[in-house]
Amino acid sequence: MHSRPAAGAALALLSAVTFATSGTFARSLIDAGWSAGSAVIARVGIAALVLAIPALLSLRGRWGVLRSNATAIGLFGLLGVALAQVCFFNAVRYLPVGVALLLEYLGIILVVGWMWVRHGQQPRRLTVAGSVAALAGLAFVLDLAGTADFHPVGVLWGLGAAIGLAGYFVLAGRVDPRLPSVALASGGMAVGAAVLLLVGLTGLLPLHATFGEVTFAGQPTSWLLPIAGLSLVAAVIAYLAGIAGTRILGPRLSSFVGLTEVLFAVLIAWLLLNELPTGWQLFGGAMIIAGVALVRLDELRGTPAASAPVSPEPELVLAGR
């Protein structure tokens, strides 16, 4: 059936769009004096609370499923939520947002390498070609030629975000399929918020925030607006759509569809910050789409005629970030 891949692609794109808003929302808070840790705690903490009741209802009293996946949920919260987001928000303190995004998306290459080393799934030529095309497209979209310099601390934060993103991609599909996506998202975000709060209380992670007026999209507004956007749009909707969509699409395709987050981020910056894409950025976007198409073609060539995937290992499913 073609409906399931179409639904998976739609969910993955929705996840990319909503994730793409996080940078704009977070920028207004950080410029107003928020630390990266405080912004992440607010984002995922509120989202975890919003999803708590739906998560409990989705389990229908199957507490054994929750207990058996406690380790996976914990790792998901540590790597995919806490590490990825804190590292990315700290990276943008030292680097242009585009460069930080490119470093974070190196996690996609880590995923391909993990599938090769851990599961023996050597990437075929089309996957390699799609990887090269998509990452080269990212370089154009992010306009690396106009970047002034690289701060080594920022680069390290960006690489840390890449590790967290790769962990998020892999762990999203390693949990028991009986565990509902909403329970995974809520539990992972609760773990991430709790860990960051505990680390912050020790003084190792700066935690500070302001509760006055902030500037969002060039207009003064309440700090509640970017908080609501970060937690509800860029977390609740983004995580649920990403996890659900990538349980349909499969590992490599989902990770490359997630690359469209960069395109959506450029469009959002255009609409809200009046930053018009350049011709090279549009060219890079076309390269990303071509890369996704190559990976999709390779996935289709490697899929058996039967509708269900056949694999000696549990299938890894990726989510957005």
Side-chain angles (χ1 to χ4, degrees):
M1 293 181 62
H2 297 288
S3 59
R4 280 182 59 82
L11 287 167
L13 286 173
L14 175 61
S15 177
V17 171
T18 48
F19 269 126
T21 64
S22 65
T24 301
F25 287 125
R27 173 62 65 188
S28 63
L29 293 174
I30 292 175
D31 288 347
W34 283 62
S35 66
S38 296
V40 174
I41 290 174
R43 178 190 185 190
V44 301
I46 294 173
L49 290 175
V50 171
L51 293 176
I53 293 178
L56 293 174
L57 292 176
S58 69
L59 287 169
R60 298 182 181 87
R62 295 173 295 165
W63 309 122
V65 174
L66 193 62
R67 288 192 297 270
S68 63
N69 287 279
T71 300
I73 294 173
L75 290 174
F76 180 79
L78 287 173
L79 293 176
V81 177
L83 180 64
Q85 294 187 32
V86 167
C87 286
F88 175 72
F89 285 164
N90 274 294
V92 298
R93 290 182 177 274
Y94 300 94
L95 302 173
V97 173
V99 176
L101 269 175
L102 180 61
L103 290 173
E104 183 181 20
Y105 269 96
L106 289 177
I108 295 172
I109 303 303
L110 296 180
V111 171
V112 175
W114 170 264
M115 298 290 290
W116 187 358
V117 174
R118 176 65 177 86
H119 299 277
Q121 297 184 14
Q122 182 174 353
R124 295 184 292 269
R125 283 180 293 180
L126 281 180
T127 294
V128 173
S131 302
V132 173
L135 291 177
L138 269 178
F140 286 107
V141 168
L142 301 175
D143 194 19
L144 295 184
T147 300
D149 57 5
F150 290 89
H151 196 292
V153 174
V155 171
L156 290 176
W157 280 118
L159 294 176
I163 295 173
L165 184 66
Y168 175 52
F169 285 165
V170 172
L171 291 167
R174 290 303 299 267
V175 295
D176 191 331
R178 297 175 300 168
L179 181 68
S181 297
V182 66
L184 172 61
S186 180
M189 287 188 284
V191 169
V195 169
L196 291 177
L197 183 59
L198 289 175
V199 175
L201 292 177
T202 66
L204 296 177
L205 179 69
L207 293 181
H208 46 82
T210 60
F211 302 99
E213 195 174 74
V214 303
T215 300
F216 177 73
Q219 300 295 324
T221 186
S222 168
W223 62 277
L224 292 173
L225 175 62
I227 286 294
L230 272 178
S231 57
L232 301 180
V233 176
V236 172
I237 297 175
Y239 274 89
L240 286 181
I243 293 172
T246 55
R247 281 184 168 174
I248 298 174
L249 292 181
R252 294 190 185 93
L253 177 60
S254 296
S255 66
F256 281 92
V257 171
L259 285 170
T260 59
E261 177 188 344
V262 181
L263 295 178
F264 291 124
V266 171
L267 292 176
I268 291 169
W270 179 16
L271 294 174
L272 298 182
L273 305 178
N274 198 30
E275 295 179 357
L276 293 176
T278 66
W280 285 116
Q281 287 176 318
L282 295 177
F283 175 71
M287 292 186 66
I288 291 176
I289 295 173
V292 172
L294 288 175
V295 174
R296 177 54 175 163
L297 178 60
D298 207 16
E299 290 269 322
L300 294 176
R301 290 178 59 188
T303 302
S307 59
V310 178
S311 175
E313 296 279 353
E315 184 184 6
L316 295 182
V317 189
L318 311 183
R321 183 186 18 23

